[in-house]
Amino acid sequence: MNVQHCGSSILISAAGKLDRGAGDVLHRALDHVTMNERDLLIDLHAVATMDVDGLLHLLDLHRRAERTGLRVLVTGWQPQPQQCMATVAGIPGPRAATGERYALAGFRRLLEEKARRTWEHSDFDDRWLPPV
């Protein structure tokens, strides 16, 4: 995870897995936001996989950024993270164009609600999350 402040924008470049481990970095990404910064760009081109924890962390970052007045753009959705979102949202079939749907606030609220339910019903004794 790489966070850069570039003029009026913040760029977060993620790579590898977006999972439980990404939470601390994503939470701190907005620690040094100034009044001069207007945009948050989250680049997921190098994120090959995402699980429910990663999705919840991403949704939390997005919500917190909007509360501080930042416009948020998430770009570079790869197939598995899109499929994870589609599975969580209950959208059947592969390649459900969830990357484009993510930009809609209503879709993000639906995702968050369903992802939280999935997370709450997970069996953490076995360190297992449902496959998505």
Side-chain angles (χ1 to χ4, degrees):
M1 205 71 70
N2 183 20
V3 179
Q4 297 176 16
H5 295 260
C6 311
S8 66
S9 300
I10 301 168
L11 171 62
I12 299 175
S13 301
K17 294 181 180 180
L18 193 55
D19 58 12
R20 180 181 298 183
D24 290 338
V25 174
L26 289 177
H27 191 75
R28 288 190 313 259
L30 300 178
D31 283 354
H32 303 289
V33 173
T34 67
M35 297 300 289
N36 296 330
E37 291 162 323
R38 300 282 182 239
D39 302 301
L40 172 63
L41 175 62
I42 305 169
D43 181 0
L44 301 179
H45 281 97
V47 173
T49 61
M50 177 175 71
D51 65 12
V52 173
D53 281 320
L55 177 58
L56 286 168
H57 290 312
L58 183 63
L59 290 164
D60 178 63
L61 173 66
H62 194 131
R63 187 179 348 92
R64 289 184 308 110
E66 286 181 333
R67 283 185 189 150
T68 64
L70 293 171
R71 289 177 296 191
V72 180
L73 175 64
V74 182
T75 187
W77 288 101
Q78 298 303 306
Q80 190 282 334
Q82 287 195 72
Q83 189 61 50
C84 173
M85 284 193 297
T87 301
V88 167
I91 301 170
R95 308 189 66 81
T98 53
E100 290 82 13
R101 293 177 188 192
Y102 181 87
L104 305 171
F107 184 67
R108 288 193 309 276
R109 283 191 298 273
L110 170 76
L111 274 175
E112 185 166 17
E113 177 184 311
K114 290 189 173 201
R116 288 208 183 282
R117 265 193 260 138
T118 299
W119 188 85
E120 289 167 358
H121 291 98
S122 298
D123 184 358
F124 288 105
D125 291 337
D126 294 332
R127 308 283 298 155
W128 177 85
L129 285 173
V132 287

